[in-house]
Amino acid sequence: MPDTPRYRQTFARLLGFLRPYKLSLIVSIVLAAGSQGAQIALIWITERVIDRALIPHDRQKLWVFVGASRADGR
């Protein structure tokens, strides 16, 4: 049976092909992490609105949350 290359060595060799695209790869990783962080933040904010305004039926707090979401001009 011939010698098979080790997986880590093969992986490291294949990563060498990404060297010309290093900046694009870094930007893609940062954007992907930022996108995931935004998704987590959206879920966290939604949970807070539900727990603090909708469940206790506090209309005043609900309007504060709605106003805060409109503060960015959308």
Side-chain angles (χ1 to χ4, degrees):
M1 185 178 290
D3 280 338
T4 58
R6 296 181 181 201
Y7 291 110
R8 289 184 186 189
Q9 290 174 343
T10 302
F11 185 70
R13 184 175 55 86
L14 290 173
L15 283 178
F17 290 114
L18 292 176
R19 199 168 287 129
Y21 309 103
K22 192 177 193 177
L23 181 62
S24 297
L25 180 65
I26 291 170
V27 169
S28 295
I29 290 170
V30 168
L31 290 175
S35 174
Q36 292 300 312
Q39 289 294 324
I40 291 169
L42 180 62
I43 292 169
W44 184 77
I45 290 169
T46 303
E47 177 189 9
R48 296 300 182 264
V49 169
I50 291 171
D51 289 346
R52 295 182 182 172
L54 294 180
I55 291 177
H57 300 288
D58 188 348
R59 287 187 178 200
Q60 184 178 2
K61 278 188 181 178
L62 179 60
W63 283 111
V64 169
F65 285 122
V66 169
S69 70
R70 298 282 177 139
D72 64 356
R74 292 184 190 185

